[in-house]
Each structure stands twice: as structure tokens, then as C-alpha cells.
Amino acid sequence: MTNDELWQAVLAQVQFNVSRANFATWFRNTEILSKDKGEVLISVENSFSKEWLGNKYALLILKILRSLDKETKAIEFKVAPKKASGVSAVKETTRGEEEKEREEGPQLPFQEFTLDIKTNLNPRYTFDNFVVGGFNELAHAAAQAVSENPGLAYNPLFIYGGVGLGKTHLLQATGNRIIELSPKKKIKYAPSERFLSSIVEAIRNHNIGELKKSFREVDILIIDDIQFFAGKEKSQEEFFHIFNFLYQAQKQIILSSDRPPKAIPSLEQRLRSRFEGGMIADIGVPDFETRLAILKAKCEEKNIELDPKVMEYIVSAVKNNIREIEGALNRLIVFQKINNKAPNPEVAKKLLESLITGPKRMTNFRKIVQTVSNLYDLTEKDLLSTARRKEIVKPRQIAMYLLREELKESYPTIGRRFGGKDHTTVIYAWEKIARELKSNDNLLTELDLIRQRLYSEF
Ligand code: ADP
Ligand code: MG
């Protein structure tokens, strides 16, 4: 049997085990490149397919191969793109990069970042990839000054602005820069929800003293989205003491919120005046040119070239939220990775419709359940069951997340749909996926893939 015949036989069997959409997406243009001492090298179109096949189908392929050829011991995937017909979407690379690419396959536009356990900072957020314009100039300058002179420039630094406009990015970039300049400094970054729940837990377990001590040891304390302090009196009080301690020791405190201190309801007066005692800088909304500049920077970062018309379409449709501009871009990248060609303006418009016009677009419970079970090769029955197997739990959490995000269903309703699960389980699932999406770009890609299948026919 030639390698070709062997692979055709494998594919014939794979087809029985995976959904049609998955077969078309992941197995198209695969082949056996070589077979040596039982090691089979399989070529795939791009690094995203490589990852997906490796994670999800390696075992299946290995099993089938073994049943056809007893010698088979291991399989490996290699990115060996077929010479693309039509326009190549990937940017021209320099010679050195080209060689590297041939060896390692094209770089994934999505990179995986790991959060630093000690600081909780995400290294993806830097000043280098932060675009500055009139809308965020002041906040940026203040953050830079603080990163160069922590504790001395402005204390506290309080940054406020709307959702998706770069507060978290700026806070984390400041933290990352401080570490870069002085690696010995102790930094702690905490979203306020996490900060608040650790206080509540400490009070419950009677070790608030210890918790406070751990906060007092830091040189830089960064708390994100402190509007959630509103109404949490006991926690505000504990925070007040931590704040004062650090402040008096000239340790830097950096805070963010979606509104200025005076607009946070039931924020204790003494905390408010502490916040107002430092530097308050707001982030506004970027204008058209700046949005375009941001999008261009993101394209460069992800090494993708978009039709200028497509770029203009994106930034004229998405006005108030940089995260959504990124979401639009990511969706186009997924299209490109899977189809090996850049979307033209028409396709782009179709792909982005649901993002841009909001969740009014047609999808429903059935479609979500179908699409999710399809992508992960599960039966709908499994997905809706209460089975706890690992390969089902994650897709189920994703389905719950989507029902909430796309259909705005209530948590109890979603719980009932999944065999009568408690609403707290649904909330847990939603939070888990939402949190993971912030650091795991592969999951982001998977969700985009699902959304594409939900909203378009290809
Ligand atoms: P917020 O915390 O204000 O809701 P984020 O900091 O999470 O917003 O920003 C949302 C996304 O937009 C992030 O991925 C971030 O990297 C990106 N972003 C925001 N502002 C900028 C900017 N000025 N330049 C480049 N990317 C930005
Ligand atoms: Mg944020």
C-alpha cells in the first residue's frame, strides 16, 4: 500500500467518526508526508489545523492507522501548506523569516500567553503594543511616569473609562514595565472581583490579618475595575487600611474604574478622597483615524494583511470599543486560517454582521447545541446530559456561555435546559469561560469558529 492509499483508507474511516463540517475543516488537504520506522508524518495546511488535529484527533488517527498497519507507533503533524492558489493573504516576509517559516510552519496569529503566578500579570499587555491617541494620551503619560518612578510620580494613579477602551491593558503594561525595570519589585495585580472575594473569604476564615499582611508586602498594588467596590462596606474598610499602609510606605497604588471616583455610588467618603488625592486620568473614545491606526497595529502584530476597505468597514461599524475591533479582526483571521485566503469586503461584511448588529441575528437554542456538539464531535444528548466526563464538561460550559451571550437567556433557564442544573453551576461555567477567554487565545479561536458556524453558511 502506498502512503497515499493508506491515508485514503484512514480518511474513509475518520469520516465515520467525525461530523461532516469537522471533516471538511480539519482533514482537507492533509496527506502522509513520510513513514519511517513506524513514525508517520502527516502534513496539514496551517498551524491552527495542526494544533486542533493534535489535540482532538491524534488518538483517533493513530488507532485507525494501527488497525491498517501494525507497524505504526507514532504520528506527528507538520505544517506544509500547499502552494495557495489565488492571492496569498499572509504578508511578505523577509528571507530569514521565510526559512524559519518553512521549518516551523507559519506563526500562529494567536499566541498563547501564560499569566505570571506571582504577579498575576499578563505579559501580552505592554506599552509597545499600546496605541496612543488624543483619547488616551493623558492616561498613557501618567502610566508611563508611574512605571518609571513608582510610588513617587502620582499616587494613587486612578484611570477611568468605558468598557473595552484599554484600562486593563494600561494597568498591566505599567506593571510589566516596572518588573522589566526593577525585577525585584513585588507587584500584585487583581481584578477587583478577585480582591473582594479574597477579603470576604478571609473574613469568613478568620485570617484577614494574614491577607492584609500579604498585601502590605507588595511594592505595587494594582486593582482593576474598582467600581465593583460599590456597596461593599466591610471590604472597603479593609481596603482602606491596606491603602493607607501602602501609601504611607510610598508604595505605588494603581486603580481603574469605569467611572470617576465621585460617580461610584456608596463609595465611602474617606476612600473617595484618597482616590482623588492622586492623579485621575480618563480614557475617552478614539476617533476614526485612531481606530484605524489601532486596527492596523493589530494586523501587523498578528501578521495579517486586510483589504483597506475591510479595515474601514470595521472601524466605521465599531466605534466605542477596542475589544470589539479586535473581536472583528479575530473573526476574519479565523476565516483566513481555515480558508487560506483573505476575506473580501463582501465576505467580511457577512462574517461580521452578527458582531456589528448585535445579538439580534437569528440563532437559537437548537442551533447552539448542534453547533457545539458538532464541533467537539459529541452527541447532542451527551452535551445536554449531566455526565461529568472531561471531554463533555468543557463543551457544555461553552454551550452555556453561548446561550447566555448570544441569546441572553437567564441562568436558571439555561440550567433547566441542561438536565436541571442549578443556576450557580451555570454562573460558574459562564465565569470560567469568560475568564479563560482573556488568556487563552485558542479558546477564543474555537468560540469564533462556533460563532461563524452559528451565523453563516459555509
Ligand atoms: P478595558 O479594561 O478598558 O475594558 P482592555 O484593556 O481590556 O479594556 O482593552 C480591550 C482590548 O483592546 C484589549 O485586548 C487591549 O489590548 C486592546 N486595547 C485597548 N486599548 C488599546 C490601545 N490603545 N492600543 C492597542 N490595543 C488596545
Ligand atoms: Mg478591564
Side-chain angles (χ1 to χ4, degrees), residues 2 36 42 45 83 110 163 272 317 367 451 457:
T2 67
D36 185 31
I42 299 160
E45 272 194 307
K83 270 276 160 277
F110 293 118
V163 179
R272 181 167 306 157
K367 229 166 151 179
R451 287 199 170 103
E457 277 72 40

Side-chain angles (χ1 to χ4, degrees), residues 414-431:
I414 299 171
R416 276 194 293 276
R417 290 185 181 284
F418 290 82
K421 281 208 168 16
D422 192 65
H423 72 280
T424 52
T425 309
V426 183
I427 294 175
Y428 173 81
W430 184 90
E431 281 175 350

Side-chain angles (χ1 to χ4, degrees), residues 73-126:
K73 289 197 190 71
I75 55 174
E76 205 173 314
F77 300 97
K78 185 183 162 65
V79 181
K82 298 236 148 103
K83 270 276 160 277
S85 52
V87 206
S88 158
V90 178
K91 254 173 119 179
E92 273 186 40
T93 47
T94 63
R95 189 149 194 90
E97 278 172 80
E98 229 172 65
E99 258 147 36
K100 194 162 152 255
E101 205 168 285
R102 225 174 290 130
E103 278 157 29
E104 306 174 355
Q107 224 206 325
L108 260 182
F110 293 118
Q111 288 156 283
E112 187 97 45
F113 289 96
T114 22
L115 297 183
D116 185 304
I117 305 229
K118 271 210 310 276
T119 65
N120 200 23
L121 286 168
N122 185 334
R124 86 192 287 173
Y125 297 114
T126 63

Side-chain angles (χ1 to χ4, degrees), residues 181-211:
L181 295 173
S182 15
K184 291 228 173 70
K185 286 236 175 349
K186 280 204 191 121
I187 304 193
K188 218 184 197 70
Y189 166 89
S192 74
E193 301 98 306
R194 177 130 14 115
F195 179 80
L196 290 169
S197 63
S198 63
I199 288 190
V200 170
E201 198 171 317
I203 293 175
R204 195 188 308 135
N205 300 334
H206 308 288
N207 53 7
I208 187 80
E210 243 165 85
L211 182 81

Side-chain angles (χ1 to χ4, degrees), residues 142-157 174 178 182 185 218-221 246-254 278:
Q144 268 198 325
V146 162
S147 71
E148 277 153 26
N149 271 314
L152 301 171
Y154 308 111
N155 208 8
L157 172 61
T174 310
I178 295 173
S182 15
K185 286 236 175 349
V218 305
D219 298 305
I220 289 101
L221 178 63
L246 292 176
Y247 182 82
Q248 271 151 24
Q250 288 201 338
K251 308 291 187 188
Q252 180 71 44
I253 298 149
I254 310 176

Side-chain angles (χ1 to χ4, degrees), residues 124-133 135-136 159-172 189 224-225 256-257 283 286 290 293-295 297-298 301 321-326 438:
R124 86 192 287 173
Y125 297 114
T126 63
F127 281 125
D128 286 342
N129 60 16
F130 189 78
V131 178
V132 184
F135 76 111
N136 60 10
I159 288 174
Y160 75 92
V163 179
L165 289 171
K167 300 182 296 294
T168 297
H169 190 136
L170 204 50
L171 260 53
Q172 296 225 16
Y189 166 89
D224 206 351
D225 285 318
S256 86
S257 159
I283 297 183
T290 314
I294 291 173
L295 180 58
K298 303 272 167 196
E301 200 179 297
N321 192 323
I322 298 170
R323 188 177 298 122
E324 282 175 7
I325 294 181
E326 282 185 335
K438 288 186 187 157

Side-chain angles (χ1 to χ4, degrees), residues 296-410:
K296 280 189 180 146
K298 303 272 167 196
C299 286
E300 214 151 279
E301 200 179 297
K302 296 175 189 246
N303 205 24
I304 170 177
E305 211 164 75
L306 285 185
D307 187 321
K309 283 216 184 59
V310 172
M311 293 212 252
E312 279 174 25
Y313 172 69
I314 295 175
V315 299
S316 52
V318 187
K319 294 199 173 69
N320 304 321
N321 192 323
I322 298 170
R323 188 177 298 122
E324 282 175 7
I325 294 181
E326 282 185 335
L329 176 62
N330 285 340
R331 191 168 288 193
L332 299 184
I333 294 179
V334 171
F335 173 90
Q336 179 155 324
K337 277 197 281 189
I338 289 171
N339 297 280
N340 273 346
K341 62 172 189 236
N344 63 32
E346 229 165 87
V347 171
K349 221 167 166 168
K350 192 155 186 288
L351 286 172
L352 300 180
E353 221 166 33
S354 67
L355 266 190
I356 281 157
T357 56
K360 290 191 294 298
R361 283 254 318 178
M362 298 306 284
T363 191
N364 56 40
F365 170 69
R366 273 258 80 77
K367 229 166 151 179
I368 289 177
V369 168
Q370 258 170 18
T371 310
V372 173
S373 40
N374 228 309
L375 186 77
Y376 296 98
D377 287 312
L378 301 170
T379 65
E380 291 175 32
K381 208 168 135 237
D382 272 344
L383 193 75
L384 292 170
S385 73
T386 47
R388 305 278 294 268
R389 269 177 293 140
K390 196 169 136 255
E391 66 271 24
I392 304 180
V393 168
K394 183 74 173 282
R396 187 184 293 134
Q397 289 172 336
I398 290 175
M400 290 176 169
Y401 175 85
L402 283 166
L403 286 172
R404 177 75 188 166
E405 288 292 301
E406 304 298 300
L407 302 179
K408 309 280 178 246
E409 288 195 346
S410 75

